[in-house]
Amino acid sequence: MDEARERLRIAQTALEEGRDPRDDEWQPSVTQPDNGGRPNANGVITGRGGKVVCNIDAFRRVVCPGVPVPGEAYHKRVEALQQAVRDAEQALAEAEVRYRRESPD
């Protein structure tokens, strides 16, 4: 049971420490331009309430950078960490059952 408890502790620690996205797990997002994509009084197209300057892409579309969001790699990694915790919890439960069965009365 001690090994199962330690495995669970390690898995839980890894999950807690792995909750923040790593640098390579961010993906850009796109937001809608302010004012329907029309320039403001300064002749600049902005987005996110004037916080970012939007650009025109090669297809003449207005593209406003958004806030980076965690990508698929992040979600896969966190899911694997969560699965490791579930597996460790199951192993501990099985170890406890074995201990109860095999311990002297």
Side-chain angles (χ1 to χ4, degrees):
M1 275 192 359
D2 291 337
E3 289 177 23
R5 281 192 188 109
E6 182 62 12
R7 180 177 166 207
L8 176 58
R9 186 193 66 74
I10 290 169
Q12 289 171 331
T13 301
L15 176 60
E16 287 305 312
E17 291 175 355
R19 289 222 181 259
D20 292 331
R22 297 175 181 160
D23 290 342
D24 62 339
E25 293 175 333
W26 291 99
Q27 69 181 22
S29 64
V30 177
T31 60
Q32 296 297 319
D34 299 335
N35 198 22
R38 292 185 299 277
N40 62 15
N42 297 326
V44 178
I45 300 172
T46 60
R48 292 182 25 222
K51 295 179 182 173
V52 297
V53 174
C54 302
N55 301 307
I56 306 293
D57 69 6
F59 300 102
R60 306 287 305 148
R61 295 179 297 202
V62 177
V63 179
C64 300
V67 178
V69 295
E72 187 177 340
Y74 166 76
H75 295 291
K76 284 183 179 181
R77 183 176 57 79
V78 170
E79 176 57 36
L81 292 170
Q82 291 170 337
Q83 184 62 48
V85 169
R86 288 190 295 269
D87 292 346
E89 289 170 339
Q90 180 66 33
L92 178 58
E94 291 170 3
E96 288 172 345
V97 168
R98 278 193 311 276
Y99 177 77
R100 285 188 210 115
R101 284 186 190 152
E102 297 171 2
S103 67
D105 291 334

